[in-house]
Each structure stands twice: as C-alpha cells, then as structure tokens.
Amino acid sequence: MALQVVTANRIGDGTVVYLTRGGGWSERIADGQVSRSDEERDALMAVARAKAEIPEVVEPYLIDVVEEAGVVRPVRYREEIRAQGPPVHPAFGQQAAGG
Amino acid sequence: MYRYDEYDQTLVDERVRQFRGQVARRLAGELTEDEFKPLRLMNGLYLQLHAYMLRVAIPYGLLSAAQMRRLAHIARRYDRGYGHFTTRQNIQYNWPKLEDTPDILAELASVEMHAIQTSGNSFRNTTTDQYAGVAADEIEDPRVYCEIIRQWSTLHPEFSFLPRKFKIAVTGAPNDRAAVRLHDIGLIMRRGDAGETGFEVIVGGGQGRTPFVGPTIREFLPKKHLLSYLEAIMRVYNQLGRRDNLFKARIKILVHEAGAEKVTEMVEEEWRHIKDGALDLPAEEVERIRAHFAPPPYETLAAAQPAFEEKKRADGAFATWADTNLAAHKVPGYAIVNLSLKPVGGIPGDATADQMDAVADLAEHYSFGEIRVTHEQNLVLADVRRTDLHVLWRKLRDIGLATPNLGLVSDIIACPGLDYCGLANARSIPVAQRIGNRFADLKRQHDIGELKIKISGCINACGHHHVGHIGILGLERKGEEYYQITLGGSADQDAAIGKIIGPAFSSEDVVDAVETVVNTYVELRQNGERFIDTYRRVGKEPFKERLYAAA
Amino acid sequence: MPLLKDGVLVDDPWVTVDDGTQLPMDGPAMVSLERWQAHRDELLGRNAPLGIRLKSDQSPALIADDLDRFAVVALEFPVFRDGRAYSYARLLRERYGYRGEVRAVGEVLRDQFLFMLRCGFDAFEVRDENAAGQWREAVSEISVVYQPAADSRTPVWALRHRRSAAE
C-alpha cells in the first residue's frame, strides 16, 4: 500500500497546502496526514472533498509519498517542486524556510 | 496607439464588475470549481503548480508608458515584484490571490487594459510583428486590423465556446516576425493586381503535439471582407472542429483530416452567405481606428548620423549592441531598439517592477511613450532617434536590459516549465539559464551568429520548440528529466517544423549536446551561412553523427 | 425543468417524447430528429403543435426545408463547453429566417444566458427556479457589443458613427 497525503490549493490565495492530522491545512508537507490503507485514503479524501465544497481549497488530490527517517517526501519530482517552491526562485515557497 | 472611447471603457468596467460578482459567488461556495473554472479562464486566471496565475492581455504587444507603469505597480502590490512576458505578447503574474483579482482587473481597466480571453476555448490575443508601423519592409500597418479583430473577437457570442483555443496573427511585412504560419489563422498583408492591399489567409497552422505549417486557403482577400471571412472560418470550425478529443480539437486537425481544399470549400460556401453584410465595417470606423496608429511626430533627420557612427567607433561595447539589437526604421535618423529580456543566466521574459518602471520612463524620453512586447519575449522601443542611442544604451545597461544578444544563441524562448506549470514534464528555465551560461562569452555568440533556441517543458509546445533552429523538448522518464532535441525548425516566412535528431539527453548532458550541435555547425558552415542555412544544406546526419558518435 | 422565456418562469406546455415512447394524442410534443426523419408523415398528420430537439452534432441545415412545420426547435448543450448550438441558433434565425421558439436545453448556465440570447435563443430550460432571479442581471451586465448577431443590439462601431453623424 503506497503512502499518500492529500494536497490542494487554498481557495483564497492559491497557496499549496496539505491536509493535516487535525483536519486542517498546512503549507508544510511534513504536517500532512499520511494514509496507510485504502480506508484511510478514502476517509482523507472524503474530508478533503467536503472542505473543497465549503470552499476552503481547490481541487484536492492524493499524492504518493515516502517516509525516510520520519520525514515525508513526495515521490514525484513535480510534487517535490510543488511542496518546496520553484527551484529557479529559491526565496519563494517552503524551500526558503529550509524545507 | 489605440485609445479607448467610452464604449471600450464601459465594456472593461462592466467586465470587472461581472468578474467581481463571479469571484464573490465562488468564495461564497455558490459556484463549484467546475462551474467557476471556465469563468476565471475567460479572464485569464489559471491555477498552476504553486498558485493562481493571471495572464493580462497586451493587444498585439503594444503598451503605453502609463500601462507599463501600472503593470509594474500590479507586480509590486499584488504579486512578488516581477512579471513574465509571454510568446503571445502578453504578461503573466505567477502569485496573485484570487481574492485580489477583481482589484487587479480594476487597476488594469483604469489604464485601458484587461485580461479578457487570455485563456479558455475562445479567441486569444491577436499577435503581430513587433516592428509594425515602423518596419522598413512593411506594406501596411497591421495593427489597424489587429485592433479591428480584437474588438470583433471580444465576447463574441457565437465563438466563446469553441472546441479549443484560437490564435490569430497578422503581419504587414513579407519578412514574417509574427510566426503567422504557425497560427490557427495567419494573415499576411499582400498587394492585389491593382496594387490594392489585402490579406493572404492561412488556416490550420500550429504547434503542440501535432505541429503543422498552415496552408493558404485564400491568396488574396480584400481588406473590407476581413471580418466576414474570419466569421465564415470560425463558423465552420465551431460546427465541425472535433470535440471528442482535447488533443484533436484545434482547427489544424480539422484542416489536416478534411484537407485544406475541403475546408476552403466550406469556408467559401459559408462566406457566400454572409459577405457584403453586417460584418463590413463602415469606412469611417476603419479610418477612426487607423487614426490611432498615425505615425508619431517624427523630426526630419538626416539618414546619416555621424555622431552615432563616431560613438560606435569609440565604444566597442556600444557598437556590438548597436549591431545586434537595432533594426532598420522606415524613417531616416531613427532606429528600432530591442531590449533583451535574456540576460546571461536570467529567466527568459521576466522583468522586475523596477525594470518595467524604468522602461516606461525611457519610452517617454526616447520613444514617444510606447513599448512593444515581442513574441520572442523581449521588449522594443520602436522610435528612437539615432542620436539618442548611445545615452539610451547606457541607461539600458544600468537596468540590465542591454544584453547584446538579439537573435543569438542566448536569446532563448522558454516556457515556464515545471518550475511553475502544472502541465509540464520537465523544467525549461534552468536549461535556458545553463545554455546562456555556457555561451556567456558574447564574442563567441556573435561568431556563431543567428541561432534560435526554443525550449518547451512538455508537448504542448508553449516554448515553440518545434520551430527552434534548435528545439528542446522536456520529457519525464521514471521521475527523471530528459530533453529531446529537434533541428531545423523555423518560425519565419520559411516556416518549418524541426526534426527529432535522436534519443533524448539527460538534464546533465543536454547543454553539452547543444554545444556539440553548435560546434558542428561552426565547422561545417560556408561563406557566412547562418545555422539554419547550413542545416538546410547538409541535413541532420552530420549533427546526428557527432551527437551520438560516442554511444 | 423550469423554463425561462423573456426572463420569467413560465409553464412549459411542451412534452419531450423519447423515441421509444408512444406520442400523446394531443398537445404540443417535441421529438428527436431521428423520429422526425423516420415518421415524418405520421407526425405531420397529428393535429397538434410539433417541436424538434436537435443534438449538438445535428445541424438545423438537416431540417432547413421543414422549419415551418416546427413551433419549437430545441438545441442541446450536452455540456456547457460544447458551443456548436450557438452557431446553429444563428443559422436558424439569420440564414433560415426561423421565427418560432429556439430553446436552449441541456447544460444551460447563468453565465451563458447573454451569449445565447445574442445568438437567437429565446427560451431556456434551466436547472432551478433561481435562474429567473439571475436572468436580468446576467443579460444586462455587459451593455456593449462589438459584433452584429441575431439579436437587436447595435454593435458599437455603428453606434459610434450614428452619434458622430448626429453631431
């Protein structure tokens, strides 16, 4: 079972966010709630879709992640860039905060 | 340039109000994202990898100094201090908030600008020759017709839900600087038998995953029929363009599948019903619009400018820039000045708010207060006295806009790529930066001569890689970035689609590969041949051999 | 489905009859193109108003010669993105001179009303009754038009010179 987290963009300002354990949204993927089973995954997406209805966020979707030494990282490079900020602008996004 | 009258102003003001209401409905949850998406796209608002992105229309690339200042202000107040000039001669902002977009549109409306139809399946910004109105080789100023098309195509009730986006380009000169054969519709100003002017009409060119050089469907269309003929083309396309497959929905696929002859026949049949009707603009309206493009009050100057020549002799760096970044102006004593947005190691097409403000000032001092944006992602001051060139050059140098690389190996078109774009497979900007750094030696660039490199981060080809002399297409394979090289493309009057040279290169190797291609050309070239001339003479084999010899 | 005509909700007297279903003896009935083509004589023999419903790949050119038989031509928007019916509506009005009702059916959204109206639609099947409240705003929020269409609005290029001629 692949590990996954839910990501989306915040409705008002478009910022990339991750669904957290408390059912909120964080700009840090590290705060993301990791699903470890089909049931957990479906439950997370149900929460996210409900929040997209409000609307708190836009277009929530699941991404595959890996956990290395307790740190959550996206599998795909695209999602790594999305999580960190554009590599050509190191001052923008989470990369500026040191990850 | 064209100035709004009360009608034009009313429309953009109403549009801002309308969009403000739509955004409010969205934020209140009355509109779902599915319902809101086409509405925001009709106003140029995308959701990209990191944030929303707002694309602002710059009709046929023409800006006043006041408009440029407003763009700078928007970059500072609502974004992160910069903007990105695009291949549709527009500008886009990468970090606007949805909540702020109605205010941004209101700021734009206050200087006669908008973001209408900069996205979505409708007419996009009509583009043209950045030297329109001043080029020595021009038959007639195409901007008059661009403006007529802009108005006709704005909120067109019949064609706002086309199968796919639709791009029109117009050139008034035989030397094509607007890539008209690579557009859904391309119009080239021609002279008829009696010396009157009209248009050659090209339909079904395009890039993307199936690139085509568009065929001519009409050799000569008298100008008065322009809108009825365009409407006939659009009506055929709106009914018959494919809607079953996003990737086959552009008009080029209809032209390809039905054949240019059949499409011509259908267009002419439709046109027969609507020509000489309500779409014939009254002559006084054409003249009203034309008056907005009257030449500025040029001084009477000598063609020979000894002071300018003297400065060139005295200052080698100035001479290099003048020889590279200037173009011939139709009025004696004036020059067209290209401002490079491609500094070595920079992001192609990006400009900071401070640079925009500075360019606005320079335009007011030296070029009748107007600026043009080019589809190659540079800026132009079109009407500069030759005697002012030296001081202008120094001021441009101070703000980092005097890189003497127009048309050279580092004057690269690049799409935003995976740094920003949700559709991209690979990054584009860093490849452009690394090529720029590799060829940073300007002497070497000048020795290499005209060479157009164009980079796209995916097959949608926003970076025009199909028509690069050297084209680079980013791919993703097992999570790694790869780059496929094409050679021999061209966007000008000899438009051609580049040919894939062989297996793709890793990110690490792609810059070496480009250098190998360039070195091969330098070895093979004869008597002042440009890269593209040599390629056309020798074909791709010698390049292929060199590139893959080691493998 | 609620029906909007001239900006107000009205009772829809029309029954849309599926191809497999028996036609009602009387009352206005709307049929498919296929049914019309297969049972033309039978349909013309009915002593009640007839309407036709065209799918988005069915051009009104297919019924151009018979338009006077129909009191309603309904044009389908299977999804709002499918814009073929805008052209069909203009052809009906401007090419074929059709004066009956041109009805928009399918995915008909508030933000399309103005475009549809301009192309010659005069009746709209809408999702819910709120649409009536939205109608007036939706069709009046843009007052300037740049092109002639099937409605009576005057393009600005004509207004500009009408005005200057009067000055």
Side-chain angles (χ1 to χ4, degrees):
Chain A
M1 181 63 217
L3 305 184
Q4 293 184 308
V5 299
V6 176
T7 185
N9 293 76
R10 206 151 53 203
I11 179 80
D13 64 5
T15 302
V16 173
V17 289
Y18 300 88
L19 186 63
T20 66
R21 283 169 282 279
W25 299 96
S26 169
E27 296 175 23
R28 291 156 35 94
I29 190 169
D31 299 333
Q33 165 85 49
V34 179
S35 82
R36 292 162 203 281
S37 67
D38 290 355
E39 294 72 32
E40 286 181 17
R41 178 198 63 202
D42 294 347
L44 278 184
M45 269 313 283
V47 171
R49 283 200 198 95
K51 287 175 178 297
E53 292 264 312
I54 294 175
E56 285 182 5
V57 295
V58 185
E59 295 182 352
Y61 63 98
L62 290 154
I63 60 168
D64 291 343
V65 295
V66 290
E67 254 180 335
E68 285 162 359
V71 178
V72 175
R73 292 171 51 96
V75 170
R76 287 189 64 199
Y77 185 51
R78 173 190 197 275
E79 290 302 330
E80 177 72 17
I81 289 178
R82 210 165 152 274
Q84 295 300 328
V88 294
H89 278 295
F92 297 163
Q94 289 301 304
Q95 58 191 346
Chain B
M1 68 185 289
Y2 185 75
R3 299 300 310 267
Y4 284 6
D5 69 1
E6 65 201 85
Y7 297 110
D8 303 306
Q9 189 64 48
T10 298
L11 186 140
V12 295
D13 290 342
E14 288 176 340
R15 183 66 161 184
V16 173
R17 263 199 303 281
Q18 182 188 45
F19 191 60
R20 200 178 285 284
Q22 290 165 345
V23 169
R25 282 189 278 148
R26 173 66 184 127
L27 290 171
E30 292 165 26
L31 288 173
T32 65
E33 182 60 13
D34 279 351
E35 290 165 342
F36 181 59
K37 193 172 176 177
L39 304 178
R40 67 170 161 79
L41 289 179
M42 293 296 279
N43 285 288
L45 187 65
Y46 288 75
L47 184 62
Q48 290 216 312
L49 206 52
H50 305 286
Y52 293 103
M53 181 271 275
L54 181 68
R55 184 178 294 145
V56 174
I58 302 176
Y60 33 96
L62 187 58
L63 280 173
S64 68
Q67 290 173 330
M68 185 65 113
R69 283 200 191 92
R70 188 61 56 137
L71 295 177
H73 167 74
I74 289 168
R76 257 187 219 108
R77 172 146 182 207
Y78 302 97
D79 210 86
R80 295 191 174 178
Y82 70 103
H84 177 72
F85 290 99
T86 77
T87 57
R88 278 224 83 59
Q89 302 179 297
N90 289 324
I91 186 170
Q92 56 198 38
Y93 296 104
N94 286 298
W95 308 94
K97 298 183 167 102
L98 173 62
E99 303 154 334
D100 286 341
T101 48
D103 291 339
I104 298 174
L105 296 188
E107 298 259 13
L108 292 169
S110 75
V111 289
E112 304 176 10
M113 295 182 80
H114 59 75
I116 297 169
Q117 289 167 219
T118 53
S119 176
N121 293 335
S122 186
F123 297 102
R124 301 296 185 86
N125 190 28
T126 296
T127 50
T128 192
D129 184 354
Q130 64 270 22
Y131 302 160
V134 293
D137 61 350
E138 184 170 278
I139 293 175
E140 197 181 308
D141 191 340
R143 295 173 302 176
V144 178
Y145 299 93
C146 291
E147 177 58 27
I148 288 170
I149 293 169
R150 182 191 76 82
Q151 296 192 18
W152 162 79
S153 65
T154 296
L155 306 187
H156 197 296
E158 186 179 349
F159 306 130
S160 286
F161 295 91
L162 295 168
R164 199 75 179 87
K165 59 188 167 184
F166 205 92
K167 299 177 179 178
I168 302 175
V170 190
T171 175
N175 293 304
D176 180 8
R177 289 172 286 264
V180 299
R181 287 197 178 273
L182 298 153
H183 279 76
D184 296 287
I185 295 178
L187 299 169
I188 303 176
M189 192 75 75
R190 299 283 187 210
R191 282 201 190 283
D193 297 336
E196 79 283 22
T197 52
F199 298 101
E200 177 182 344
V201 182
I202 296 150
V203 173
Q207 303 191 55
R209 82 183 50 211
T210 26
F212 290 107
V213 173
T216 296
I217 69 161
R218 191 168 237 280
E219 296 289 344
F220 188 79
L221 178 75
K223 286 185 298 192
K224 75 180 189 99
H225 295 306
L226 177 63
L227 292 185
S228 61
Y229 203 78
L230 292 180
E231 190 138 314
I233 296 169
M234 299 314 297
R235 186 165 288 158
V236 168
Y237 171 56
N238 191 42
Q239 294 178 81
L240 299 178
R242 287 183 61 171
R243 292 177 186 266
D244 60 329
N245 182 340
L246 188 68
F247 301 124
K248 297 186 173 180
R250 296 287 288 269
I251 196 173
K252 63 189 175 185
I253 303 296
L254 176 65
V255 172
H256 178 67
E257 289 181 349
E261 258 178 47
K262 177 71 185 159
V263 169
T264 307
E265 209 175 279
M266 292 189 289
V267 168
E268 295 278 334
E269 168 59 20
E270 177 59 36
W271 187 48
R272 197 172 61 77
H273 293 283
I274 58 175
K275 72 185 284 202
D276 301 318
L279 283 161
D280 283 7
L281 279 190
E284 60 265 36
E285 175 65 357
V286 178
E287 288 317 307
R288 186 190 73 90
I289 291 173
R290 189 185 308 283
H292 285 288
F293 297 97
Y298 294 118
E299 294 169 35
T300 306
L301 301 171
Q305 295 286 331
F308 167 67
E309 298 302 332
E310 178 49 38
K311 288 282 187 202
K312 275 178 72 175
R313 271 192 296 277
D315 189 337
F318 172 61
T320 302
W321 175 81
D323 289 341
T324 311
N325 286 30
L326 302 183
H329 198 290
K330 67 179 183 185
V331 176
Y334 284 84
I336 301 169
V337 177
N338 284 280
L339 282 51
S340 171
L341 293 180
K342 319 289 176 64
V344 169
I347 297 177
D350 273 18
T352 65
D354 290 348
Q355 285 176 322
M356 292 184 225
D357 276 337
V359 169
D361 291 347
L362 293 174
E364 274 176 347
H365 279 100
Y366 300 107
S367 196
F368 299 101
E370 289 181 9
I371 304 117
R372 289 108 181 276
V373 182
T374 82
H375 91 269
E376 292 180 316
Q377 302 182 281
N378 292 310
L379 300 177
V380 167
L381 297 178
D383 297 292
V384 181
R385 290 185 306 193
R386 287 187 170 266
T387 47
D388 288 335
L389 286 169
H390 190 256
V391 61
L392 173 63
W393 167 70
R394 286 172 51 168
K395 290 179 176 177
L396 287 172
R397 214 170 41 168
D398 290 344
I399 55 171
L401 298 179
T403 312
N405 62 347
L406 194 84
L408 302 181
V409 62
S410 62
D411 183 9
I412 296 169
I413 292 182
C415 73
L418 195 50
D419 276 283
Y420 292 102
C421 177
L423 302 174
N425 293 318
R427 290 173 299 166
S428 304
I429 296 166
V431 177
Q433 290 172 318
R434 283 157 55 211
I435 293 172
N437 286 325
R438 178 68 62 91
F439 293 94
D441 177 2
L442 279 165
K443 239 182 104 188
R444 185 178 175 203
Q445 288 199 41
H446 284 263
D447 174 65
I448 294 163
E450 183 186 302
L451 176 47
K452 304 207 170 187
I453 298 183
K454 307 186 194 227
I455 309 173
S456 304
C458 81
I459 194 61
N460 291 316
C462 297
H464 293 192
H465 68 277
H466 291 301
V467 292
H469 296 166
I470 300 176
I472 300 174
L473 166 64
L475 310 165
E476 182 196 342
R477 244 184 248 156
K478 295 184 182 149
E480 297 283 320
E481 292 168 302
Y482 279 84
Y483 296 90
Q484 189 175 66
I485 292 184
T486 53
L487 297 181
S490 169
D492 63 13
Q493 59 280 5
D494 302 315
I497 306 299
K499 292 200 166 57
I500 296 169
I501 188 79
F505 295 90
S506 69
S507 178
E508 197 184 342
D509 292 338
V510 66
V511 178
D512 288 340
V514 168
E515 189 169 26
T516 300
V517 170
V518 172
N519 289 342
T520 307
Y521 148 69
V522 170
E523 286 162 30
L524 293 173
R525 68 181 167 188
Q526 300 174 350
N527 331 317
E529 273 179 339
R530 299 169 306 162
F531 175 89
I532 190 70
D533 303 324
T534 301
Y535 175 83
R536 285 176 180 159
R537 177 171 57 81
V538 305
K540 72 176 182 179
E541 285 311 317
F543 296 97
K544 193 172 174 177
E545 269 168 38
R546 282 288 296 278
L547 271 175
Y548 299 101
Chain C
M1 277 282 196
L3 183 70
L4 266 178
K5 268 197 101 160
D6 301 323
V8 292
L9 285 174
V10 296
D11 285 330
D12 184 2
W14 288 87
V15 180
T16 303
V17 186
D18 293 338
D19 283 353
T21 311
Q22 180 85 34
L23 277 171
M25 291 301 290
D26 48 23
M30 191 129 46
V31 300
S32 70
L33 175 69
E34 291 79 4
R35 189 166 194 150
W36 165 252
Q37 287 172 337
H39 303 286
R40 183 192 155 91
D41 291 343
E42 177 195 339
L43 291 167
L44 288 177
R46 250 179 111 248
N47 199 12
L50 188 64
I52 189 162
R53 179 177 170 126
L54 299 179
K55 296 192 177 66
S56 69
D57 60 353
Q58 295 172 336
S59 166
L62 298 166
I63 51 166
D65 295 337
D66 292 321
L67 279 171
D68 52 356
R69 313 280 187 186
F70 304 112
V72 172
V73 178
L75 300 174
E76 235 176 67
F77 291 84
V79 292
F80 70 85
R81 283 184 299 278
D82 185 340
R84 281 175 279 195
Y86 294 101
S87 288
Y88 298 157
R90 287 195 67 184
L91 288 173
L92 280 170
R93 297 297 191 206
E94 297 171 57
R95 178 85 27 96
Y96 307 125
Y98 181 66
R99 308 291 289 271
E101 177 180 308
V102 179
R103 179 182 292 203
V105 299
E107 198 169 13
V108 178
L109 306 178
R110 174 217 188 274
D111 294 285
Q112 299 169 283
F113 287 156
L114 180 57
F115 290 145
M116 290 178 173
L117 189 70
R118 294 214 61 214
C119 286
F121 288 96
D122 59 354
F124 308 84
E125 281 187 15
V126 292
R127 277 192 299 197
D128 59 63
E129 311 204 337
N130 292 334
Q134 299 163 351
W135 168 267
R136 187 168 297 281
E137 189 180 88
V139 299
S140 62
E141 58 195 359
I142 303 288
S143 66
V144 172
V145 302
Y146 279 122
Q147 41 318 81
D151 59 348
S152 57
R153 295 189 186 211
T154 309
V156 293
W157 68 60
L159 292 176
R160 281 167 178 147
H161 300 285
R162 188 178 292 175
R163 188 192 53 190
S164 59
E167 274 166 7

